[in-house]
Amino acid sequence: MTDICVIIAAHNAQATIAKAVRSALAEAEVAEVVVVDDASTDATSEAARGADDGSGRLIVERQAQNGGPSAARNRAIALSRAARIAILDADDFLLPGRFARLDPTLDLAADNIVFVTPDHAADFMPAALPDAPTGVEMLDAEAFALGNLAQGVRRGELGFLKPVMSRAFLARHGLRYDERMWLGEDFDLYMRMLLLGARFGLIRSVGYVAVERGASLSGRHRTADLAALESACRAHLDLPASPSTRAAMLRHLQQVQAKLLLRQFLDRKAEAGLAAALGFALSPPARFLPIARGVARDKLAALRPPAPPRPERLLLPV
């Protein structure tokens, strides 16, 4: 079944884009690979074209202005025609046989992710991965929201999943990425799909390699990015959901709001000093506790010795 389009939004990814493109073109199920170069200032487009295998399946388009990952992905979806859409980040790559293991009848079909350091990416050996249990786990909106909650110092990471999506489902509900979002755009789209009845299946075998880079966009939380994510989470509550699902979404929203308040407090402190920041934290008084918790958490984190880097880690235990 050759019915998948792999879309890659790329910005200044000259060093990594060729490996991403080659890994996608190597999969028999892939009908198209669409790269949207989001106004890079390096040779990203040229590097992507250099990875072409001559099969006529690669499309590379360069945007005149940097519009962010959501806008670039929406443009790639518009350029594509395949029945299923797979997201691949320009730093990452696919493992052989990934798509053959995913159920083509689902609206969202995802597998496990292995995160690797840049130094480990070049010599990563799939054979060293542990055996995974068989079977498909079905995720609903409640489980997905809970899977993105922070537990202590560790945040939930189900939003990092890279499912293959049904074009028919997206078209039927008029769904696309929210182009205001530069953070959490995947989480937002998957949540909207789930709230509209999407069937989301997850397997524990690893098919996707994510290269963790400290300078990546997802590693930075700008105030405007957090505000857009908070707005999206509030909008999710406007869609029909069971009481337990709404409770899970509210918990997630409250965590996002706490992060946004802390970021706004720190902005006030940097711009106008501590007195102005404290005034913000106390007006209204309900702001104070989540901000104080965030400040305390950051101070404690700074006191802890840094954890030694792990060459690789799995998103989901097997």
Side-chain angles (χ1 to χ4, degrees):
M1 184 180 292
T2 307
D3 67 341
I4 293 177
C5 176
V6 177
I7 66 173
I8 307 174
H11 179 71
N12 290 347
Q14 174 184 346
T16 60
I17 187 66
K19 186 170 187 174
V21 169
R22 290 192 191 102
S23 74
L25 289 172
E27 295 303 291
E29 296 80 9
V30 171
E32 305 168 310
V33 176
V34 179
V35 177
V36 174
D37 179 349
D38 196 18
S40 296
T41 57
D42 65 4
T44 291
S45 291
E46 292 79 359
R49 293 189 183 97
D52 196 350
D53 64 355
S55 63
R57 294 177 292 160
L58 177 65
I59 299 170
V60 180
E61 179 174 288
R62 186 179 188 279
Q63 303 279 71
Q65 294 183 325
N66 179 237
S70 294
R73 287 174 177 174
N74 283 344
R75 178 56 184 161
I77 292 171
L79 290 169
S80 69
R81 293 293 179 267
R84 293 189 287 162
I85 298 164
I87 307 300
L88 175 59
D89 288 345
D91 286 348
D92 304 341
F93 56 95
L94 307 178
L95 294 180
R98 184 207 183 196
F99 295 126
R101 294 187 288 270
L102 297 176
D103 186 343
T105 69
L106 293 168
D107 303 309
L108 293 155
D111 50 7
N112 209 347
I113 294 175
V114 59
F115 295 93
V116 302
T117 62
D119 291 341
H120 193 53
D123 58 0
F124 175 74
M125 299 294 292
L129 291 169
D131 293 334
T134 58
V136 179
E137 304 167 40
M138 299 304 295
L139 287 175
D140 58 14
E142 180 179 349
F144 186 65
L146 293 173
N148 284 280
L149 289 176
Q151 305 291 340
V153 297
R154 182 177 175 81
R155 62 173 171 169
E157 296 182 313
L158 288 189
F160 284 108
L161 291 172
K162 291 292 190 289
V164 178
M165 299 182 286
S166 162
R167 177 186 294 277
F169 188 94
L170 294 174
R172 186 160 63 249
H173 296 282
L175 295 175
R176 287 294 184 270
Y177 282 95
D178 184 338
E179 298 188 5
R180 298 168 297 178
M181 300 185 70
W182 291 54
L183 172 72
E185 68 280 356
D186 292 315
F187 165 81
D188 169 58
L189 181 59
Y190 307 159
M191 181 58 79
R192 285 186 284 139
M193 293 178 72
L194 285 165
L195 290 169
L196 291 167
R199 296 166 303 131
F200 193 159
L202 173 64
I203 61 175
R204 296 271 168 160
S205 63
V206 177
Y208 190 103
V209 182
V211 183
E212 292 191 293
R213 300 176 187 275
S216 69
L217 183 62
S218 61
R220 302 192 303 271
H221 289 179
R222 299 181 302 183
T223 306
D225 299 336
L226 281 167
L229 177 58
E230 191 265 350
S231 178
C233 292
R234 282 190 286 106
H236 296 161
L237 294 169
D238 294 332
L239 294 170
S242 69
S244 60
T245 298
R246 287 185 62 81
M249 291 193 295
L250 280 169
R251 287 179 62 191
H252 182 263
L253 171 61
Q254 288 163 358
Q255 289 193 351
V256 174
Q257 288 173 330
K259 291 179 182 178
L260 176 59
L261 283 173
L262 177 60
R263 187 69 261 164
Q264 291 170 330
F265 170 83
L266 295 173
D267 287 348
R268 296 291 198 286
K269 183 179 177 184
E271 295 164 2
L274 180 58
L278 289 173
F280 170 80
L282 293 168
S283 180
R287 288 177 175 169
F288 181 77
L289 189 55
I291 290 174
R293 285 173 175 162
V295 171
R297 185 171 55 249
D298 286 354
K299 296 293 186 184
L300 288 172
L303 294 174
R304 285 193 297 266
R310 290 186 290 172
E312 62 184 61
R313 67 181 180 90
L314 295 179
L315 174 70
L316 303 168
V318 297

PDB file of all heavy atoms in Angstrom, residues 280-290:
ATOM      1  N   PHE A 280       2.623  42.245  39.704  1.00  0.00           N
ATOM      2  CA  PHE A 280       1.927  41.351  38.772  1.00  0.00           C
ATOM      3  C   PHE A 280       1.510  40.068  39.468  1.00  0.00           C
ATOM      4  O   PHE A 280       0.389  39.576  39.285  1.00  0.00           O
ATOM      5  CB  PHE A 280       2.846  41.040  37.586  1.00  0.00           C
ATOM      6  CG  PHE A 280       2.334  39.947  36.678  1.00  0.00           C
ATOM      7  CD1 PHE A 280       1.371  40.213  35.727  1.00  0.00           C
ATOM      8  CD2 PHE A 280       2.827  38.650  36.790  1.00  0.00           C
ATOM      9  CE1 PHE A 280       0.891  39.213  34.891  1.00  0.00           C
ATOM     10  CE2 PHE A 280       2.356  37.639  35.966  1.00  0.00           C
ATOM     11  CZ  PHE A 280       1.383  37.930  35.014  1.00  0.00           C
ATOM     12  N   ALA A 281       2.392  39.513  40.301  1.00  0.00           N
ATOM     13  CA  ALA A 281       2.111  38.245  40.976  1.00  0.00           C
ATOM     14  C   ALA A 281       0.971  38.358  41.982  1.00  0.00           C
ATOM     15  O   ALA A 281       0.310  37.363  42.280  1.00  0.00           O
ATOM     16  CB  ALA A 281       3.365  37.740  41.675  1.00  0.00           C
ATOM     17  N   LEU A 282       0.718  39.557  42.495  1.00  0.00           N
ATOM     18  CA  LEU A 282      -0.304  39.736  43.535  1.00  0.00           C
ATOM     19  C   LEU A 282      -1.600  40.343  43.006  1.00  0.00           C
ATOM     20  O   LEU A 282      -2.525  40.565  43.794  1.00  0.00           O
ATOM     21  CB  LEU A 282       0.258  40.620  44.653  1.00  0.00           C
ATOM     22  CG  LEU A 282       1.396  39.983  45.462  1.00  0.00           C
ATOM     23  CD1 LEU A 282       2.068  41.027  46.337  1.00  0.00           C
ATOM     24  CD2 LEU A 282       0.882  38.830  46.304  1.00  0.00           C
ATOM     25  N   SER A 283      -1.677  40.596  41.733  1.00  0.00           N
ATOM     26  CA  SER A 283      -2.882  41.220  41.188  1.00  0.00           C
ATOM     27  C   SER A 283      -3.358  40.475  39.945  1.00  0.00           C
ATOM     28  O   SER A 283      -2.862  40.711  38.846  1.00  0.00           O
ATOM     29  CB  SER A 283      -2.603  42.687  40.833  1.00  0.00           C
ATOM     30  OG  SER A 283      -3.772  43.296  40.309  1.00  0.00           O
ATOM     31  N   PRO A 284      -4.308  39.523  40.160  1.00  0.00           N
ATOM     32  CA  PRO A 284      -4.988  39.179  41.407  1.00  0.00           C
ATOM     33  C   PRO A 284      -4.140  38.247  42.268  1.00  0.00           C
ATOM     34  O   PRO A 284      -3.200  37.623  41.785  1.00  0.00           O
ATOM     35  CB  PRO A 284      -6.259  38.487  40.911  1.00  0.00           C
ATOM     36  CG  PRO A 284      -5.839  37.838  39.632  1.00  0.00           C
ATOM     37  CD  PRO A 284      -4.857  38.787  39.004  1.00  0.00           C
ATOM     38  N   PRO A 285      -4.495  38.096  43.541  1.00  0.00           N
ATOM     39  CA  PRO A 285      -3.713  37.254  44.457  1.00  0.00           C
ATOM     40  C   PRO A 285      -3.632  35.795  44.040  1.00  0.00           C
ATOM     41  O   PRO A 285      -2.680  35.096  44.423  1.00  0.00           O
ATOM     42  CB  PRO A 285      -4.462  37.406  45.788  1.00  0.00           C
ATOM     43  CG  PRO A 285      -5.170  38.710  45.683  1.00  0.00           C
ATOM     44  CD  PRO A 285      -5.556  38.855  44.244  1.00  0.00           C
ATOM     45  N   ALA A 286      -4.593  35.317  43.238  1.00  0.00           N
ATOM     46  CA  ALA A 286      -4.587  33.914  42.818  1.00  0.00           C
ATOM     47  C   ALA A 286      -3.356  33.575  41.981  1.00  0.00           C
ATOM     48  O   ALA A 286      -3.011  32.398  41.824  1.00  0.00           O
ATOM     49  CB  ALA A 286      -5.859  33.598  42.031  1.00  0.00           C
ATOM     50  N   ARG A 287      -2.694  34.589  41.444  1.00  0.00           N
ATOM     51  CA  ARG A 287      -1.488  34.332  40.649  1.00  0.00           C
ATOM     52  C   ARG A 287      -0.293  33.922  41.512  1.00  0.00           C
ATOM     53  O   ARG A 287       0.637  33.278  41.036  1.00  0.00           O
ATOM     54  CB  ARG A 287      -1.092  35.594  39.869  1.00  0.00           C
ATOM     55  CG  ARG A 287      -1.998  35.950  38.712  1.00  0.00           C
ATOM     56  CD  ARG A 287      -1.521  37.261  38.105  1.00  0.00           C
ATOM     57  NE  ARG A 287      -2.268  37.610  36.910  1.00  0.00           N
ATOM     58  CZ  ARG A 287      -2.209  38.784  36.293  1.00  0.00           C
ATOM     59  NH1 ARG A 287      -1.405  39.734  36.781  1.00  0.00           N
ATOM     60  NH2 ARG A 287      -2.922  39.018  35.220  1.00  0.00           N
ATOM     61  N   PHE A 288      -0.305  34.350  42.761  1.00  0.00           N
ATOM     62  CA  PHE A 288       0.918  34.255  43.557  1.00  0.00           C
ATOM     63  C   PHE A 288       1.384  32.821  43.758  1.00  0.00           C
ATOM     64  O   PHE A 288       2.575  32.522  43.569  1.00  0.00           O
ATOM     65  CB  PHE A 288       0.721  34.921  44.922  1.00  0.00           C
ATOM     66  CG  PHE A 288       1.955  34.875  45.777  1.00  0.00           C
ATOM     67  CD1 PHE A 288       3.019  35.734  45.545  1.00  0.00           C
ATOM     68  CD2 PHE A 288       2.074  33.939  46.802  1.00  0.00           C
ATOM     69  CE1 PHE A 288       4.165  35.678  46.321  1.00  0.00           C
ATOM     70  CE2 PHE A 288       3.216  33.875  47.579  1.00  0.00           C
ATOM     71  CZ  PHE A 288       4.265  34.749  47.333  1.00  0.00           C
ATOM     72  N   LEU A 289       0.479  31.930  44.148  1.00  0.00           N
ATOM     73  CA  LEU A 289       0.899  30.570  44.484  1.00  0.00           C
ATOM     74  C   LEU A 289       1.511  29.831  43.297  1.00  0.00           C
ATOM     75  O   LEU A 289       2.604  29.256  43.430  1.00  0.00           O
ATOM     76  CB  LEU A 289      -0.279  29.787  45.070  1.00  0.00           C
ATOM     77  CG  LEU A 289       0.066  28.418  45.652  1.00  0.00           C
ATOM     78  CD1 LEU A 289       1.161  28.531  46.710  1.00  0.00           C
ATOM     79  CD2 LEU A 289      -1.178  27.749  46.244  1.00  0.00           C
ATOM     80  N   PRO A 290       0.876  29.799  42.109  1.00  0.00           N
ATOM     81  CA  PRO A 290       1.527  29.095  40.987  1.00  0.00           C
ATOM     82  C   PRO A 290       2.854  29.724  40.582  1.00  0.00           C
ATOM     83  O   PRO A 290       3.787  29.009  40.211  1.00  0.00           O
ATOM     84  CB  PRO A 290       0.491  29.180  39.858  1.00  0.00           C
ATOM     85  CG  PRO A 290      -0.475  30.224  40.257  1.00  0.00           C
ATOM     86  CD  PRO A 290      -0.482  30.263  41.741  1.00  0.00           C
TER      87      PRO A 290
END
